[in-house]
Every structure is written in structure tokens, then in C-alpha cells.
Amino acid sequence: MKTIKQHAKGMIAVLMASVILAGCASKPMVQQNQVEIAPDTLVTLPTPAQLGYSLTASQLITATWQKQSHQLPVQLQVDPKRVALAGFSSWGTRILSLDYQDQHIDTYVMPGLGATLPDPKQVLFNIMITLWPMDAWQAPLEQVGWQLKQTHNHRQLIDSKGDIIADIDYKNSDPLKGDITFINHQQHYTIGIKTLQSSQHESGK
């Protein structure tokens, strides 16, 4: 267990740099289907159904922060009612997971790592901001004065001040068929998402 904890702490310190919101002395009331994307700024997540199709995917997330890189294998399942994801250590041990349905999110972190692991909802946000269609994000982001812009194989997340928070690059117009690079300019980290295997079908079929 000690070895797993040491590995998880090192990996999560890098991977989850994306979700550490420094300098926030007090936090606003968070609804179950909301995620804090900046200090005192909450965004309501799109629904699972707004992805537009059902999906099962195995992904490898590589996070680079302060010249260190670590990898996290992730399993993702989406249907019209539910999003489920789980992250594993390199030994196959589940270290975090999440279940999102009926506007409610249940999370799990490996026992003993609760003080080390941040909220898995932030992992869900990063995945959803890369995969869910633009129209699913328009209303939630407008509510907080943010916006998501898209050009060919590229997205930009822009805050209420007009600053570019993140750039998302897609190697393929189908995000499940090419690598995705997510660069956060404020917190200076990069996440690479590689889909190793996936299957999808139209919702309701």
C-alpha cells in the first residue's frame, strides 16, 4: 500500500495541478452539478445526454507540470442518463472515480489519499470541456461570463476578463480518433489525452 500511495501522490501532484485553485480563502456554495473553474466562479456541467451519443472509452492522460510528467489510465462511460469515470494507478488500482447522474455527482478517492487528491469533479470538467459539443457549454459558461470558442480542431476557454485560460488542440476532427492537448496558461500545466480504445452509438439505440 505504501508503494501505491507514493506513486499516486507523485502522479496526482502533477495531474491534478489542473484542479488546484490557489488563493481561494472562502468558497461559494457548490451545487452537486457545479464545478469551481476559478476562485469563486462556479459552472454548471452539461448533462450526460448533451454529449449526443453513448460512449465507452479507455484513455491515457499524460500530465506535465514543472517539467515532470505522469500518466493516469482512465475508463470513461457515458449514456443519456449517466457519466462514469475511473482513474487507475499503473498497477491497476482504482485511485479515483466518479458517477454523474440526475444532476448529482458521487465521488470516490482511494482511502488514505483524501488529503492528497482534489475533487474528481475537476477531472470530469476537463474531459467534458474537450468532448461535449460547443452548444452544450454555451449557456453554462455565459452564466458566469466565460466563453468557449472553436475554430478548426482548436478550442479556447476564455474568462470574463477576456483572458485565454486554456487552449485545446485536436489532432483529428473526431476527438476520439486523435490525441488531444489541453494547455492551461494560468496554472502552467499541459494535459495530453490519448484515446486507446472507444465505442460509441447513437443515444437510445
Side-chain angles (χ1 to χ4, degrees):
M1 180 65 71
K2 182 178 179 180
T3 302
I4 295 175
K5 285 184 179 180
Q6 289 175 339
H7 171 78
K9 287 180 179 180
M11 175 175 60
I12 294 301
V14 174
L15 176 68
M16 301 307 178
S18 61
V19 303
I20 297 173
L21 301 172
C24 185
S26 61
K27 296 181 179 296
M29 185 66 66
V30 182
Q31 298 178 15
Q32 273 294 320
N33 62 335
Q34 289 185 322
V35 174
E36 190 171 26
I37 56 175
D40 301 324
T41 302
L42 302 172
V43 67
T44 301
L45 294 175
T47 65
Q50 286 179 285
L51 178 61
Y53 55 89
S54 295
L55 169 67
T56 299
S58 297
Q59 297 181 316
L60 182 63
I61 297 177
T62 301
T64 302
W65 183 57
Q66 294 186 346
K67 298 182 180 180
Q68 298 184 45
S69 295
H70 292 275
Q71 294 182 328
L72 182 72
V74 171
Q75 295 289 328
L76 175 67
Q77 291 185 316
V78 186
D79 63 40
K81 295 183 178 180
R82 178 174 179 255
V83 177
L85 67 84
F88 300 87
S89 71
S90 59
W91 292 282
T93 301
R94 179 173 59 116
I95 58 175
L96 64 87
S97 61
L98 177 146
D99 188 282
Y100 172 32
Q101 57 182 327
D102 298 325
Q103 297 183 335
H104 184 86
I105 299 177
D106 292 315
T107 62
Y108 162 87
V109 295
M110 183 178 177
L113 292 177
T116 304
L117 301 178
D119 191 345
K121 289 198 293 185
Q122 300 283 349
V123 183
L124 177 64
F125 170 77
N126 282 345
I127 291 176
M128 293 183 74
I129 201 73
T130 62
L131 293 182
W132 264 243
M134 292 287 292
D135 57 4
W137 280 107
Q138 183 176 355
L141 289 173
E142 283 182 350
Q143 289 177 355
V144 295
W146 287 42
Q147 56 182 316
L148 189 63
K149 291 185 176 181
Q150 180 167 326
T151 56
H152 181 66
N153 291 0
H154 183 79
R155 286 184 177 182
Q156 284 187 326
L157 180 63
I158 301 170
D159 69 8
S160 58
K161 298 178 181 179
D163 294 329
I164 299 173
I165 301 301
D167 277 292
I168 307 169
D169 287 298
Y170 303 85
K171 294 298 185 183
N172 192 293
S173 57
D174 182 342
L176 297 172
K177 293 183 179 180
D179 293 353
I180 302 171
T181 302
F182 185 112
I183 301 173
N184 187 295
H185 301 292
Q186 282 198 338
Q187 297 177 17
H188 309 292
Y189 71 86
T190 300
I191 290 178
I193 303 175
K194 178 186 290 291
T195 299
L196 306 174
Q197 195 172 29
S198 69
S199 62
Q200 56 183 290
H201 56 83
E202 294 181 20
S203 299
K205 294 188 178 181

